[in-house]
Amino acid sequence: MRVPAPRRAHRAPGRPQSGRICIVTTRDDILERLALTASCPWGPIRSSLTAEAVAWADALGDEGLAIDTRLALSEAYRRGNEEWRALAPFAWVLTRHETRPDLFDADRLGATDLTCTRVVPVAADDPGTPAARLRELVSGMEELHRARGGSMRAVHAVRHHVARMLGLEEEAQAELAAWRAAPRDSASE
C-alpha cells in the first residue's frame, strides 16, 4: 500500500531561496493519517503509520492531537502483537494527564481510561517491570477512573492482576472480592 506524504510543501519563511524545501504537516494531514491507519490491519504497518502521526503531532505542537495519536499508537501496538511497546506512549499520556488535565475532555478521558485498563496488565506481565512502577501505573489508572466518575470495578480487576503477577496472593484475593462487590460500568468489561 502506498502511503501519501503530507500535502503542503513550501519554502521555509525567512530563508533564502536555497532550494531547501520544508514540509509542513497540518492537523488535517495528521487526522487523514489516523483515518488511513484505521483502514490497515493490526500489525507493523499500522503501528509505523501511527508512530509517524505521533511525530507529526509533536512537530506541529498540537498537544491534544499528540495525546490522541499516542492513544492510537498504544492501541496499535497492543492489538498488533507488540503489547510491550504500548507502554511508552501510554506512560507519556499519563504524565500529560498529571501535568495538563485541562487537555482531557470527557471523550479523551474515557479513551485514556479504557487504554489504561488494557495496558497496565501488559506491564504487570513483564517480569522486568519494577513493582514500584506497577503501583504508579495502577495509581494513575485509579486517578483517571475517579476523574471520569466510573465504577472502581476495572481498577480492582487490574489491581488483582498486578497482585497476582507480583505473587501477593492475599492482596489479590482482597482485590478479587472488591471487584466482585463493585458495580459494573462501561470500562469494567
Side-chain angles (χ1 to χ4, degrees), residues 82-94:
E82 300 175 288
E83 294 89 357
W84 56 274
R85 294 183 77 185
L87 297 172
F90 186 70
W92 185 95
V93 171
L94 278 182

Side-chain angles (χ1 to χ4, degrees), residues 9-32:
H10 63 73
R11 297 202 185 280
R15 302 251 180 184
Q17 301 288 327
S18 64
R20 289 183 9 166
I21 295 178
C22 176
I23 301 295
V24 176
T25 303
T26 67
R27 180 178 178 79
D28 288 340
D29 292 332
I30 298 166
L31 294 174
E32 285 177 21

Side-chain angles (χ1 to χ4, degrees), residues 35-87:
L36 172 68
T37 64
S39 68
C40 296
W42 299 109
I45 292 173
R46 186 171 183 153
S47 297
S48 65
L49 292 173
T50 309
E52 190 171 40
V54 169
W56 290 355
D58 287 350
L60 190 60
D62 186 325
E63 292 189 72
L65 201 51
I67 292 166
D68 296 338
T69 56
R70 280 180 174 80
L71 287 171
L73 181 59
S74 187
E75 185 70 1
Y77 284 149
R78 190 187 69 78
R79 295 189 66 185
N81 203 25
E82 300 175 288
E83 294 89 357
W84 56 274
R85 294 183 77 185
L87 297 172

